[in-house]
Amino acid sequence: MSCRLSVDPKHSYKHEDLDQTDGTRIRCVMGFGSLLLGCFLASGASLVLHTANPHSVCRSCDPRAGSCSRQNCTSNCNVSKICPNPEDVCAGVWWRDDGVVTIETMCHDPTRPLHGVMLEDFSSSGCLLTSTFTAGRDLRLCACTGHACNDRVLLDNQTTPRIEKRPYQLPQLCRFCDIESTTCNDTGICEPSCTISAVCESPREVCAGSWRRMNGVSVVETVCYDPEVQFHGQHLLDYNSSICLMRPVKTSEDFYICSCNTEDCNAKMIFTDPVVSAEEEKNGIEPMLLLILVPLVICALVMVSFFYCYHVSRHLKAIKRKTTGTDIETYTAIISDDNSLNHNTELLPIQLVVTVGKGRFSEVYRAKLKQNISGEPFQTVAVKIFPCEEYASWKTEREIFSDTDLRHENILHFLTAEERKAERQYWLITAYHERGNLQDFLSRHVVSWEELCRLGASLARGVAHLHSDQTACRRPKVPIVHRDLKSSNVLVRTDLTCCLCDFGLSLRLDNSMSPEELANSGQVGTARYMAPEVLESRMDLENIESFKQADVYSMALILWEIMSRCSGIGDVREYKPPFGTFGEHPCVDSMKDHVIRDRLRPEIPATWNSHTGAGFLSSTIEECWDHDPESRLTAQCVVERFDDIISSAVLLPDSSEQKSPDSSEERISVIP
Ligand code: ADE
């Protein structure tokens, strides 16, 4: 047995099925989920990075004239910058040319030389200039650690926090009001109301201040103070500052101290350095906000575009489907995708319209699903209704349909199952196909060669998918056998492709089936379409392939039915089911006589073999209804045979197309 036909080794099999579409959608949704997660992680990470690793804030100005008093110089720089690297310290370069002092301030990576010099002491809170003479120029450098600590450069050999040598010779003038109550709180600038200033007793002393809140009352303190002595238990680290910048005392929330060393500098106790805070707003908060907001804004834009594209493509697909057949997308949008029982106590708003079919255990209705989707007041659906006595059949079919891997364009699209308790009924709600079942269709229409290929190939694709142990995306799938394949269990879609329906006798061939279950699953189906081994109850029930082989036999009879109504390959007679001469409902025994004893099969007219394509197809059919189940082709082989027939241009010219002798038959339009 070979799948291949010798006419054309070229073979192209395309999987353009719903599974792949679903797969793409799943991937899109997963991609979207990761995107969302990524966005939050990115902005979160940027926030964490920013807050976990504080960068120094330093004065940062190009060289400019400095103002010097006694032993220190101010840089006259009011621009502070958040340093780009967390390791950076603040640095200053001081030089004097012709008596003019110039100061440059910057952030600096202490592991690199500055003007060719490695800075050794950068951990002190004051920027103490160490002398370096370069090319006869008096050039000095300093580095320090602390908020804008390079605002002022110190010309003497002092370090903090311990001061060995005081740089000041004259006693300082400071605000000296001791403790007084104040209306200040711990923001902005606090100015004591008292205006008493005093020349400090000792030249060692600097100006100091404190603010604290006790029992809801705020007090400020202004004094001269010797920085070598702890002030409220704290070292005065910044006593060389020109401004009295408040810093919180670690042990208490409502307690701040400051120190400074310019005239009356403690008359203004500053909780936030206005220059730095303004700069911080610009250089610190803004970048931080940007770090958080930029990824979020980008993500929002990506998401909006993603949704927009997704909606447009869905809309286009919906429009396309409306023109070709059942709007599966729309249905899927209406009804939960879990493909099983509608557990929602609210039943779908469905109005039954007309009966379109009657089966052994159920009746099928065309119905209106009254939900406004894409501007349509309702969608047409099919409802298969089982009376409560047929609960088992409803349950079997529901279970088969509940396997989402079953989804395929050549398998009837299942929407949901409902228990209609009030009516004592069980419902299966599926897509509706207005062309009805293949048997009715063939009895009313003749088909062209192209239409025959379209119907036949799609039928084989449906059976192959059902039997397959993997989805189109190569995920493992439970093979299913139909066990009641016949033309009345095949529906014709608007685009003249087939889809299989009525899975009431189907069997899932998973490993969970016990030998007893297999043994009991013997002879089922419709006698006319039963394979010889089924008629004889001689199937090898332990071999799952034998169930598939029986389905292939039935499929061969359906392919013959389609061929028998093809006008492109010879005379078309009135529609007759296979073995149509054996009565309307031949029983198993009569079928056994014909099919097993007499080895009869439906007739293959000689004209079919006079056309290449039809000849190939008839021999394919014959291989599928072989008496020996093992010799039959698989459904997948039949798919490939159709592909070969179609792609190797053995398509027949349809010029010989004839109208059926039955004048009541209408010609159907050919879908290009
Ligand atoms: N007959 C049985 N099921 C049907 C369906 N889903 N659509 C149209 N006719 C049907």
Side-chain angles (χ1 to χ4, degrees):
M1 164 183 53
S2 158
C3 279
R4 300 256 69 91
L5 282 174
S6 53
V7 274
D8 185 4
K10 201 167 117 275
H11 164 70
S12 61
Y13 184 73
K14 295 187 200 94
H15 281 299
E16 256 183 37
D17 63 11
L18 213 68
D19 272 88
Q20 275 192 339
T21 321
D22 282 354
T24 314
R25 198 169 308 133
I26 290 163
R27 277 198 294 282
C28 286
V29 171
M30 282 171 70
F32 174 67
S34 337
L35 181 71
L36 202 63
L37 188 67
C39 289
F40 282 109
L41 287 179
S43 45
S46 56
L47 178 64
V48 167
L49 278 175
H50 198 82
T51 50
N53 221 345
H55 294 219
S56 301
V57 176
C58 298
R59 291 287 192 245
S60 182
C61 285
D62 289 339
R64 60 182 60 204
S67 323
C68 298
S69 73
R70 301 190 202 151
Q71 313 251 324
N72 69 58
C73 295
T74 173
S75 61
N76 285 329
C77 169
N78 61 2
V79 176
S80 293
K81 182 176 154 188
I82 295 185
C83 298
N85 304 311
E87 299 77 25
D88 285 354
V89 295
C90 304
V93 183
W94 175 103
W95 68 92
R96 188 164 39 199
D97 280 325
D98 297 331
V100 178
V101 167
T102 304
I103 298 173
E104 182 187 358
T105 47
M106 73 282 287
C107 292
H108 176 68
D109 177 352
T111 60
R112 290 161 178 272
L114 178 62
H115 288 278
V117 176
M118 286 302 288
L119 300 171
E120 272 152 28
D121 184 9
F122 46 82
S123 58
S124 62
S125 60
C127 208
L128 186 61
L129 293 166
T130 47
S131 299
T132 311
F133 292 93
T134 316
R137 212 169 172 208
D138 183 8
L139 187 141
R140 302 179 195 195
L141 310 167
C142 71
C144 55
T145 304
H147 191 89
C149 60
N150 59 345
D151 179 50
R152 191 168 283 271
V153 294
L154 311 175
L155 290 159
D156 208 336
N157 226 6
Q158 54 196 314
T159 54
T160 55
R162 283 271 157 246
I163 304 112
E164 302 307 331
K165 248 209 231 159
R166 288 277 298 113
Y168 306 111
Q169 306 303 315
L170 296 172
Q172 188 56 275
L173 181 74
C174 296
R175 189 56 53 99
F176 206 134
C177 304
D178 278 328
I179 294 175
E180 60 176 311
S181 63
T182 181
T183 52
C184 298
N185 53 27
D186 52 357
T187 51
I189 296 173
C190 182
E191 292 180 75
S193 51
C194 136
T195 53
I196 301 167
S197 291
V199 175
C200 297
E201 257 179 25
S202 150
R204 286 211 306 269
E205 287 181 337
V206 295
C207 308
S210 74
W211 176 95
R212 73 183 111 161
R213 185 160 37 218
M214 288 181 299
N215 304 324
V217 180
S218 302
V219 291
V220 281
E221 175 190 20
T222 43
V223 287
C224 288
Y225 206 83
D226 181 349
E228 286 192 41
V229 179
Q230 286 194 348
F231 183 55
H232 295 290
Q234 305 289 314
H235 288 297
L236 292 175
L237 298 175
D238 51 354
Y239 65 91
N240 267 331
S241 166
S242 60
I243 56 170
C244 212
L245 196 57
M246 288 299 214
R247 60 188 170 84
V249 172
K250 282 194 191 101
T251 50
S252 169
E253 265 187 20
D254 289 337
F255 196 179
Y256 291 77
I257 59 168
C258 69
S259 60
C260 51
N261 203 7
T262 53
E263 216 172 84
D264 255 355
C265 59
N266 60 345
K268 278 188 181 172
M269 287 174 274
I270 301 164
F271 283 92
T272 36
D273 181 345
V275 175
V276 174
S277 64
E279 288 300 321
E280 255 173 6
E281 242 174 65
K282 239 203 260 154
N283 299 328
I285 296 164
E286 271 180 19
M288 189 159 81
L289 279 178
L290 282 180
L291 275 170
I292 300 163
L293 288 179
V294 166
L296 280 180
V297 168
I298 292 172
C299 288
L301 285 175
V302 171
M303 280 188 254
V304 168
S305 335
F306 176 85
F307 274 119
Y308 180 75
C309 295
Y310 180 66
H311 273 276
V312 168
S313 79
R314 268 185 69 121
H315 188 65
L316 290 176
K317 263 190 213 156
I319 290 170
K320 196 173 155 210
R321 289 238 163 84
K322 263 188 200 157
T323 60
T324 55
T326 305
D327 190 348
I328 289 169
E329 289 279 320
T330 314
Y331 288 131
T332 314
I334 311 163
I335 298 163
S336 85
D337 224 8
D338 85 346
N339 229 17
S340 59
L341 177 61
N342 182 11
H343 291 289
N344 195 340
T345 43
E346 254 187 60
L347 299 166
L348 288 174
I350 287 184
Q351 183 195 329
L352 302 177
V353 179
V354 64
T355 320
V356 291
K358 234 175 166 54
R360 253 181 297 219
F361 314 115
S362 59
E363 234 177 309
V364 180
Y365 285 80
R366 173 157 63 82
K368 288 178 181 175
L369 172 60
K370 291 188 173 159
Q371 283 188 351
N372 196 326
I373 307 283
S374 350
E376 306 284 344
F378 65 86
Q379 307 289 316
T380 301
V381 292
V383 180
K384 188 170 183 180
I385 300 181
F386 298 75
C388 65
E389 308 80 60
E390 300 302 343
Y391 169 80
S393 309
W394 171 80
K395 192 164 165 272
T396 308
E397 195 161 2
R398 176 171 72 88
E399 273 164 14
I400 296 285
F401 271 133
S402 297
D403 182 350
T404 48
D405 288 338
L406 185 61
R407 285 194 170 207
H408 189 271
E409 58 187 328
N410 304 118
I411 307 275
L412 177 62
H413 190 84
F414 172 66
L415 303 175
T416 194
E418 287 184 350
E419 287 182 38
R420 294 268 170 163
K421 289 200 175 115
E423 295 98 331
R424 305 191 68 232
Q425 289 174 344
Y426 294 94
W427 288 17
L428 292 177
I429 301 156
T430 64
Y432 177 77
H433 296 289
E434 62 190 18
R435 287 193 190 269
N437 74 47
L438 183 64
Q439 182 169 46
D440 292 343
F441 179 81
L442 292 174
S443 59
R444 278 184 267 115
H445 302 94
V446 289
V447 294
S448 68
W449 170 252
E450 283 92 346
E451 289 159 354
L452 155 64
C453 289
R454 203 166 168 74
L455 288 165
S458 57
L459 169 68
R461 278 198 299 272
V463 178
H465 176 72
L466 197 67
H467 288 182
S468 178
D469 57 5
Q470 53 180 266
T471 65
C473 310
R474 306 214 178 284
R475 259 186 304 108
K477 157 189 173 297
V478 175
I480 297 171
V481 280
H482 191 286
R483 302 205 300 167
D484 197 16
L485 282 177
K486 54 184 175 182
S487 52
S488 58
N489 280 345
V490 174
L491 295 170
V492 180
R493 291 155 43 116
T494 338
D495 61 355
L496 283 203
T497 56
C498 291
C499 68
L500 309 183
C501 68
D502 203 338
F503 296 90
L505 294 176
S506 299
L507 210 57
R508 284 166 62 80
L509 300 175
D510 47 5
N511 298 333
S512 64
M513 278 196 45
S514 67
E516 294 82 58
E517 275 177 310
L518 280 169
N520 291 335
S521 58
Q523 192 182 63
V524 294
T526 305
R528 185 193 301 281
Y529 288 84
M530 273 181 194
E533 67 277 14
V534 180
L535 287 166
E536 269 191 311
S537 299
R538 272 170 168 264
M539 262 180 76
D540 177 3
L541 296 173
E542 275 168 31
N543 176 9
I544 62 168
E545 290 307 312
S546 52
F547 289 94
K548 297 182 189 174
Q549 289 153 0
D551 267 357
V552 167
Y553 172 93
S554 316
M555 181 181 76
L557 298 184
I558 307 172
L559 289 174
W560 174 88
E561 275 175 89
I562 306 171
M563 262 193 110
S564 73
R565 298 291 287 159
C566 176
S567 57
I569 54 174
D571 286 347
V572 183
R573 291 186 225 143
E574 191 186 345
Y575 170 78
K576 273 220 162 36
F579 308 112
T581 50
F582 306 159
E584 220 179 310
H585 296 292
C587 65
V588 170
D589 283 338
S590 121
M591 288 307 299
K592 270 161 95 172
D593 288 347
H594 303 303
V595 171
I596 300 167
R597 189 194 59 202
D598 304 337
R599 299 269 167 125
L600 281 180
R601 294 293 184 271
E603 186 205 346
I604 305 258
T607 52
W608 291 7
N609 287 321
S610 56
H611 296 91
T612 330
F616 279 127
L617 193 48
S618 358
S619 33
T620 300
I621 290 173
E622 283 174 317
E623 283 184 77
C624 288
W625 65 34
D626 199 294
H627 190 80
D628 173 14
E630 299 272 330
S631 304
R632 289 175 205 150
L633 298 177
T634 62
Q636 182 55 37
C637 267
V638 179
V639 170
E640 291 172 24
R641 289 273 177 104
F642 268 108
D643 284 342
D644 285 343
I645 290 170
I646 293 163
S647 67
S648 63
V650 288
L651 281 172
L652 292 169
D654 233 349
S655 52
S656 57
E657 222 173 72
Q658 287 173 357
K659 187 102 179 62
S660 158
D662 181 352
S663 57
S664 65
E665 287 169 335
E666 57 172 293
R667 221 13 226 105
I668 50 163
S669 59
V670 179
I671 309 284

